[in-house]
Structure formats: C-alpha cells, structure tokens
Amino acid sequence: MHLATIDYLIIAIYFAFVLGIGFFLKRKVKSSHDFLMSGRSIPLWITSLAFISANLGAQEVIGMAASGAKYGIMTSHFYWVGAIPAMVFLGIFMMPFYYGSRARSVPEYLVLRFDEKTRGYNAISFAVMTVFSSGVSLYALALLLQTLLGWSFEVSVWLSAGIVMVYTVLGGLTSAIYNEVIQFFLIVLGIAPLVYVGLHNVGGWEGLQTQLPPVMTHTWQYMGSPKDNPMGVGLFEMLMGLGFVLSFGYWCTDFLVVQRAMAARNMSAAQRTPLIAAVPKMLLPVIVIVPGLVAIALNAKGGAFHLPMKGDGRVDYDMTLPTMLSYYYPTGLLGVGLTALMASFMSGMAGNVTAFNSVWTYDIYQAYFNKKAPDSHYLWMGKAATIAGILISIATAYLARSFNNIMDLLQLVFGFVNAPLFATFLLGMFWKRATGHGAFWGLLSGTVAAAVTQGSTVAEGKGGWLVATPLHEFSSGMSQAFSIAIAAWTTCFVVTVLISLVTKPKADSEMKGLVYSLTDKPHETEKRWYLRPQVLAVTVLVCTLALNYCLR
C-alpha cells in the first residue's frame, strides 16, 4: 500500500488531536475519582456512544470483518443475539444495582453483596483479561501497520502504545471516553464508503446472494446442525452459549462497558445508556460484517482482488478489512480509512487500560495493600497502573499471533472469565440466599470447568492439552468457545447454589440495594414517555426481532 502525503497528514492530525484531548483534560483531573471514574459527570449522549465504542475496538472492527469472510452473515448473531438482549437487561435490571450501590467497580459490588475473597478473585481475573484483550488490540494494529505500511511489528507496537499511554495518563477515563466518541464517528465515516462501493461492485445485496453459497447469506436457516453452517455451531450452542452465557456475561458484568454507564450523571441516564447504545449497535453489522462478505465474493472470482495467505496455507482472515481498504480507497480516502482503523485500536486499548487501572487501584491495591493512603496517592497509583497495564499489553500482543481469527481467541477468553461471573451475578442479584462462600467457589469451579473443557477437547488444532486423546473434536473454534462458556456457567451456577444452601447468608439488612427483592425500584424521573427505559427497551427488542426475521 502506498500512502501519499495527504494520507500521512490525516493520520498525524488524528494523533495530534487525541493527544490534545489528553492535555486539555489534564487540568480537570484533581482526584482519583476524577481520573478513574470521571466524577460521574458525563452527559448521556456521550456515555451512550462511549458504551458502544468501548466494544468497537480493533478486535471487533478487524475481527468482525474476518468473521464475516469466514462465517458469513451468521456473524450478525454477535449483535442481534449476542448483544442487544443483554444490553436491554443491563439497562432495565442491573444498572439500578450498580449505580444505586455507589460501587466504584464491578468487583466492588461483589464485596458489598458477597465478601472480600469473591471480590479479590474477580478483580484479579478481570485485570488479567483486560490486559490480555488490550494486547489483542495492540496486535491488531501492529499487524495492520506492518502489512500496509511496512513498519516493523516492534516499532508499530511501541509507537502506538506510547500514544495511548500519553493521553490516558493525562486525562484518565474522561480522556478515553471522549476519544471513544470521536472513534465511533471516524469508523462510520472511514468504512461506510467501503461498504457502499463494495456492494455496488458485486451488484448489491441481491448480487452478493447470487455469488455466495446460501449458507453465507442467511442467519437462521442452517442452524439445525453444526455441520450445516461454516461457524460449526448448533442452535443450542448459539442460543445458550452466545445468546445467554457469553452475551449476558460480557455486557452485564464486564467492567469495561459497565464503567461507561456508571460515569453518567444520574440513575436515569445510567439506565438509558446501554438502551440508547443498542440502536447503533443493531446497525453495525452493515459497517463491520458486510465488507467480509464482499471480500470473500471478490476473492472467489479470482480477479485482481485476493485475500492474503498465511505461511501455513490458511487464508489470513484478519487482513480482510485492510486488504479491502487498500484495494478500493484512493489517496486521501485511504488515509481516512486507515485512521479509522487506528482509532478503533486506540479506543479498544484505552478502554481496557482504564478499566484495568480502576480495578487495580480500588479493588486490589487499596483493598489489600494500602487502605488508608491519601487520595493523591491513589491518583498516583492509578496513573502508575495505566503505564503498567500498557507494558503488559505489549507483552501479550505477541501471543495473539498464533490465532488466525482474533474473534475466536476473544470468545475463548470471555468463556473463562465472564461466563462463570454472570452466573454469580444472576444468583447474587436475584436470590438473596446466595452466600459469599458459594459465590467464590462457584467462580473458581467455573473457571476450572472452562479449562478442563478446553483442555480435553480440540478445535482447529487447538486445545486437547489435558489428555492424550481428546474427548471431542469441535467443528470450529467458535463452537468450542461457546461450549466452554456453557460448561463454565453451568458449573458455577450449580456449585454456587449447592454451597449457598449449606452456608450462612448475609442478613437482609446488609443486602438492601444489592438484591432485587430487597431494593426499592428506581423512581422514573423522565417525563417524556418515549425516553423512559421501559419504552426504549421494548422498541429495541422489537427492532432486533425484525432484523433477525428479515435475514433469517
């Protein structure tokens, strides 16, 4: 790929702008609460866009295009099945607990509801997951710059991480949130022309349907058996593994996204944040998945366009979107498209790092090492954790090289951490009999179950490290990830219930505001009926059902 001066200028302007935001917000950061929580003062429209953008990092933008090429339009299940219902549940049922309890993080809610050991286990596992996910974002951008611009992997990693480090250390969570909003618009403006031109060249959606196998352009018709679809996933795995366990486990308990809603100005805004974010979330498959479908159609033609191959002969799906940009975009527009991908990386990495520094400072360092330090010390620790998180992310970026589809890798990681955590939250918020002992051993056993399942099965040559002869071979890495999540969630749920029944629960007075049956329902303050959370929730669900029906 050849970039002209104007393309480099566009990229340079973006870098200068994001750094400028960090320097501008530095003067507003006066306490650890400002740095790690944004002082709970962010407007609703900002938190809503940041909520969706926190999940719109490089791993999703590049990974979803890769999955679109590998699995077809079934990839939209990650949105219409694996996101929207959980976002609605979070807004209606769970945000009142998070925001009303005044917890500063998801692990801190766990210590209020259960006990210290449950908080500690989740804080440590979440911290590991966030820096790992941040490393995946770093890997994605480094791969992009290495392939398209010829930069070495090492230079790409250290330069990109350095820019993120500067603006997050200066402006904290507020800097990350405002940059996420900018990144959202950049991605839409940078990739939408690619979708338009690509679809035009293949004859629109109808032309795409004629050039691809039917299984690539339908969402539900080939879900009867894992052997019938390229994702290798059956109906039960899709609905239970993705639609329930992974979806609710991520959107309802992952502090990375919940943190954006918790930064809202009041309870009503916090509830509406994921509901308003669900509207653009429904439409994102057009931006991030359709390019993959167009790419595989063009690749099948055998013309000038072709997807690159890896050294082992496999198609390099992760390069689907960059290859499309290089093929279609002229000078100037190429700079915009490349900047959009860089912005997605910046957002993904900064989002993970700002979640990591909050959990480290409040739930690990303050909870176990230094409980009574002055606030200035915790502010310093938050900044130090930011730098440490980025350095660890650099190390984990190299691990992602062994996977040919980073979305498969991420689903596997979520299965180990978020799947059992959702079982814990579900019981903790809606069953007052759940105890701290049950929650801790349930979480631990859920993670062990995930490891055992992954270690005793194989998929696409991965797994099976626990036994000489694997017990089962999955048709795809995605199918294995969904099954691991189901095993983790089920094990955690059952173990938590059994141990809770033989251990002593907290008194009802200690769980007010933390358990559904013991909490006063939030009073609706929004006078405009069409902006009330319940109305927004129903509208979003109806629209999602309509989209599923149209592409069934």
Side-chain angles (χ1 to χ4, degrees):
M1 177 183 292
H2 176 71
L3 296 185
T5 302
I6 184 64
D7 297 312
Y8 282 110
L9 181 60
I10 292 171
I11 295 172
I13 290 173
Y14 170 71
F15 284 160
F17 195 77
V18 297
L19 291 174
I21 290 177
F23 280 102
F24 175 76
L25 294 174
K26 179 183 178 182
R27 59 187 177 85
K28 296 186 177 182
V29 177
K30 299 178 180 179
S31 67
S32 63
H33 194 253
D34 294 333
F35 185 79
L36 300 171
M37 294 293 295
S38 292
R40 286 193 168 181
S41 60
I42 307 297
L44 173 61
W45 74 274
I46 295 289
T47 59
S48 298
L49 288 178
F51 186 92
I52 187 175
S53 295
N55 183 248
L56 197 57
Q59 62 261 48
E60 177 165 359
V61 176
I62 294 179
M64 282 298 177
S67 294
K70 186 178 182 181
Y71 304 128
I73 198 62
M74 283 185 65
T75 307
S76 64
H77 287 314
F78 283 99
Y79 295 85
W80 302 336
V81 175
I84 304 300
M87 292 167 71
V88 169
F89 187 82
L90 171 66
I92 297 298
F93 295 104
M94 298 187 74
M95 281 315 302
F97 294 109
Y98 287 135
Y99 201 91
S101 68
R102 306 302 294 181
R104 296 171 296 183
S105 66
V106 168
E108 190 164 79
Y109 171 84
L110 289 175
V111 73
L112 295 173
R113 172 60 183 89
F114 293 116
D115 54 23
E116 276 291 350
K117 64 179 180 295
T118 306
R119 188 254 288 270
Y121 181 82
N122 175 243
I124 294 171
S125 60
F126 176 78
V128 172
M129 186 185 72
T130 51
V131 293
F132 189 87
S133 183
S134 178
V136 172
S137 291
L138 188 55
Y139 153 77
L141 184 67
L143 180 67
L144 175 75
L145 297 178
Q146 180 186 36
T147 304
L148 300 185
L149 303 182
W151 296 5
S152 72
F153 192 83
E154 287 71 22
V155 170
S156 301
V157 164
W158 286 95
L159 176 62
S160 305
I163 293 174
V164 174
M165 181 185 296
V166 170
Y167 80 73
T168 50
V169 168
L170 290 174
L173 177 61
T174 305
S175 181
I177 287 177
Y178 277 92
N179 274 304
E180 284 164 358
V181 173
I182 296 171
Q183 168 249 342
F184 174 80
F185 290 111
L186 269 176
I187 287 178
V188 173
L189 293 174
I191 302 179
L194 179 67
V195 177
Y196 176 80
V197 175
L199 280 177
H200 177 75
N201 280 4
V202 297
W205 181 253
E206 293 77 13
L208 202 59
Q209 288 179 307
T210 61
Q211 296 177 46
L212 293 175
V215 71
M216 296 288 285
T217 57
H218 291 276
T219 55
W220 292 102
Q221 287 187 16
Y222 298 91
M223 291 292 296
S225 169
K227 298 179 181 179
D228 295 337
N229 61 78
M231 195 174 282
V233 176
L235 184 62
F236 174 76
E237 290 173 310
M238 178 62 70
L239 294 178
M240 181 66 179
L242 176 64
F244 181 65
V245 177
L246 284 172
S247 171
F248 283 72
Y250 177 77
W251 292 102
C252 296
T253 67
D254 195 306
F255 184 54
L256 169 62
V257 290
V258 173
Q259 186 182 34
R260 273 68 190 154
M262 291 176 69
R265 289 175 171 174
N266 52 53
M267 174 72 79
S268 177
Q271 281 194 279
R272 285 182 289 162
T273 289
L275 300 175
I276 293 176
V279 177
K281 187 72 174 178
M282 283 189 290
L283 305 177
L284 276 178
V286 177
I287 299 293
V288 297
I289 296 175
V290 171
L293 291 170
V294 173
I296 207 67
L298 292 173
N299 193 64
K301 282 185 175 182
F305 179 89
H306 64 276
L307 291 173
M309 306 294 289
K310 284 195 171 185
D312 58 4
R314 296 178 298 168
V315 175
D316 191 352
Y317 290 109
D318 286 337
M319 289 305 298
T320 298
L321 190 57
T323 304
M324 288 281 286
L325 290 175
S326 177
Y327 182 74
Y328 277 115
Y329 276 10
T331 298
L333 191 56
L334 183 58
V336 175
L338 193 57
T339 301
L341 292 184
M342 290 183 174
S344 70
F345 150 77
M346 299 287 189
S347 171
M349 187 175 185
N352 279 290
V353 169
T354 51
F356 168 80
N357 62 23
S358 295
V359 169
W360 167 263
T361 303
Y362 288 143
D363 297 295
I364 298 177
Y365 181 76
Q366 185 180 32
Y368 302 109
F369 296 100
N370 196 340
K371 295 183 178 181
K372 297 182 179 181
D375 184 75
S376 59
H377 179 75
Y378 296 125
L379 174 59
W380 174 87
M381 178 53 65
K383 293 183 177 182
T386 301
I387 297 172
I390 289 177
L391 293 177
I392 297 172
S393 299
I394 292 173
T396 61
Y398 291 88
L399 184 62
R401 281 177 159 179
S402 63
F403 281 74
N404 76 321
N405 187 322
I406 55 180
M407 283 306 297
D408 292 354
L409 172 61
L410 288 174
Q411 298 310 311
L412 182 63
V413 173
F414 293 153
F416 273 76
V417 179
N418 287 346
L421 181 60
F422 176 58
T424 302
F425 268 89
L426 197 64
L427 289 168
M429 287 184 169
F430 299 99
W431 187 43
K432 65 179 184 178
R433 187 66 179 76
T435 68
H437 295 301
F440 173 77
W441 290 108
L443 279 174
L444 184 60
S445 62
T447 303
V448 171
V452 170
T453 304
Q454 203 266 343
S456 60
T457 62
V458 295
E460 300 181 12
K462 296 180 179 67
W465 49 269
L466 191 61
V467 294
T469 303
L471 302 180
H472 180 72
E473 182 173 355
F474 289 96
S475 53
S476 70
M478 197 68 72
S479 177
Q480 184 189 42
F482 291 172
S483 297
I484 288 171
I486 294 172
W489 185 88
T490 304
T491 301
C492 179
F493 190 93
V494 171
V495 170
T496 301
V497 170
L498 293 177
I499 295 181
S500 293
L501 290 175
V502 296
T503 52
K504 184 179 180 181
K506 284 186 173 182
D508 287 1
S509 59
E510 298 181 64
M511 296 187 290
K512 288 184 178 180
L514 303 172
V515 179
Y516 190 79
S517 61
L518 302 175
T519 302
D520 295 331
K521 305 306 177 287
H523 177 68
E524 183 53 61
T525 59
E526 179 56 61
K527 295 181 179 179
R528 293 167 291 185
W529 64 270
Y530 54 87
L531 289 180
R532 293 174 183 171
Q534 293 77 8
V535 176
L536 289 173
V538 172
T539 303
V540 165
L541 290 176
V542 169
C543 292
T544 304
L545 287 173
L547 288 170
N548 274 283
Y549 178 80
C550 291
L551 290 177
R552 65 189 185 283

